[in-house]
Amino acid sequence: MSEPRPDRPDASDPDDTFAEIVDEATQRDPDLAVIEAGSRTLRAASGPPRAEELPARPADPEVDKALRAVEQELAGRWGETKLEPSVTRIAALMDVLGEPQRAYPSIHITGTNGKTSTARMIEALLGAFDLRTGRYTSPHVQSITERISLDGAPVDPERFISTYEDIKPYVEMTDAQQSYRLSFFEVLTGMAYAAFADAPVDVAVVEVGMGGTWDATNVIDASVAVVTPISLDHTDRLGSTPGEIAAEKSGIIKRGATVILAQQPVDAAQVMLKKAVEADATVAREGMEFGVVSREIAVGGQLLTLRGLGGEYDNIFLPLYGAHQAHNAVVALCAVEAFFGIGAEQPRTLDADIVRSAFASVISPGRLEVVRSSPTVVLDAAHNPAGARATAEGLSEAFGFSRLIGVVGASGDKDVRGLLEAFEPIFAEVVVTQNSTARAMDADALAAVAVEVFGHDRVQVEPRLDDALEAAITLAEEEDEYAGAGVLVTGSVITVGEARLLLGRR
């Protein structure tokens, strides 16, 4: 088995370009202290957030039947890739539900890559500070219930079903009044906001589905807007340059908010800063007001020193691989600092021990996740070229594979050539396959592109994912390289989720 490398190369030099701490930070909501005080009683009863395993199908046949019925009804609506760019329908649903999304403060996350991992880190930090959290992310890896989490764990199937049944009459009422029925994603968003109000949560951590301005999640007035790295994806919907895409994503920036801006392409950063000025928002920029001071490879993850809005935090162990996760971590840290009002007006840090404990508890299924040994099998949901490059770098840094086999199943609407080109330097061979959804790119069509990138001798086609996994493991074990061989399954969140189930992860 090839384990993550225990060696610790020299840490990165501290970034000397840090400017002064953010000039101004949004003041903490005056009601938040009252909300937090009430939350402590709830948290004392429920205990600290639990480490999360992805949910399997319900064991109770009746519950499973009811959940499948809900899934079938949702599947009958417009899918997540069919959109009518407007928040009219979701706003109408919120109105008839009594505006549940305004019952709690929120942190809103947009960007191209890293949104879900960043959301999980923000959730872990808030929970460690005794706040009851709700998290809404997409897409799911294994179960639809993953999308709506309370206190760090997906809602149970019974709660998911009851939430759907509770809002269903209002969904149907809204459908009848609109030109188009609510979409799959819009109904799920309504369910999440209703579930958070019902819990009730102290703060919601919300990831956009696509874009920003017209995304269904954008009916919240988040005091903190987080923008993870922007790159090219969904170009048919969002634009053909990072700047054009940023214009759409900047729509989550609300008046007077604090914007936590990860490192961006120049044109994307310019658009975001212009929008922030128009909204009278405070901006904190990675590499200027905050950043990763140093990082070292450690067994099981990495050891970080992070500079936040209030100061420096050292000896932070993050059990995730890759430089991109370190950058996600500092963005998450600053989002939580901003939520608590830390900045120029509160020149202090969060409790460092609590921050360390929170980061040490973070998991992110399907993101450089080791799911099997002998040979080592790693899953990663990279589905665009920028994500694939980050995955390739993280994998090369953390693992000592002498022979790496790729299993790639992508969606047909993605830049599959760019994805494959990013992985070409690290794959000895690639097995192309397809997942079970209608969006999956046909394995033979994917193979035709793969042959152009890798050459005939390095490409194998296995349309069934189970056969592809078996073929990749066999290839990894060839030529007496068993101890140093590995397999990376990638290309799509759906492919990773199905592989996770096939490999026995729950």
Side-chain angles (χ1 to χ4, degrees), residues 32-210:
L32 189 58
V34 177
I35 295 172
E36 182 179 341
S39 169
R40 290 180 187 276
T41 303
L42 290 170
R43 299 292 301 161
S46 61
R50 301 180 298 275
E52 178 185 347
E53 283 294 326
L54 297 184
R57 297 301 309 184
D60 186 325
E62 291 303 313
V63 175
D64 187 49
K65 180 180 178 182
L67 180 59
R68 289 185 187 278
V70 172
E71 291 171 327
Q72 186 173 1
E73 289 188 26
L74 290 170
R77 295 179 173 273
W78 276 2
E80 290 176 279
T81 58
K82 185 174 182 180
L83 305 167
E84 193 277 317
S86 165
V87 294
T88 301
R89 291 175 304 282
I90 187 67
L93 178 60
M94 293 296 100
D95 181 55
V96 296
L97 287 174
E99 304 290 349
Q101 81 282 13
R102 304 197 189 284
Y104 38 80
S106 54
I107 296 174
H108 207 175
I109 307 169
T110 191
T112 303
N113 293 307
K115 295 187 296 296
T116 298
S117 292
T118 302
R120 287 175 175 275
M121 294 178 197
I122 292 172
E123 174 188 54
L125 285 162
L126 291 169
F129 283 98
D130 292 325
L131 292 183
R132 192 167 202 209
T133 58
R135 172 171 53 84
Y136 181 52
T137 54
S138 61
H140 57 274
V141 177
Q142 287 181 194
S143 171
I144 194 171
T145 60
E146 296 165 34
R147 294 179 180 233
I148 304 173
S149 290
L150 293 172
D151 287 330
V155 295
D156 58 45
E158 292 87 351
R159 188 163 197 159
F160 188 91
I161 294 162
S162 66
T163 301
Y164 176 76
E165 295 298 337
D166 285 345
I167 76 164
K168 183 177 178 180
Y170 301 97
V171 169
E172 292 172 346
M173 185 187 308
T174 304
D175 284 342
Q177 296 171 348
Q178 300 297 318
S179 300
Y180 303 101
R181 293 201 311 156
L182 289 155
S183 69
F184 168 89
F185 187 72
E186 287 169 332
V187 175
L188 275 173
T189 302
M191 289 173 61
Y193 289 159
F196 296 161
D198 184 62
V201 303
D202 300 327
V203 54
V205 182
V206 179
E207 173 189 336
V208 303
M210 185 187 300

Side-chain angles (χ1 to χ4, degrees), residues 445-462:
L446 181 57
V449 181
V451 165
E452 293 177 1
V453 174
F454 289 86
H456 284 280
D457 294 344
R458 295 168 64 194
V459 178
Q460 183 171 331
V461 185
E462 295 290 351

Side-chain angles (χ1 to χ4, degrees), residues 343-367:
E345 297 190 21
Q346 291 191 52
R348 63 180 178 86
T349 60
L350 297 170
D351 186 298
D353 287 336
I354 295 177
V355 169
R356 293 185 189 105
S357 177
F359 275 121
S361 73
V362 170
I363 64 169
S364 195
R367 276 74 179 178

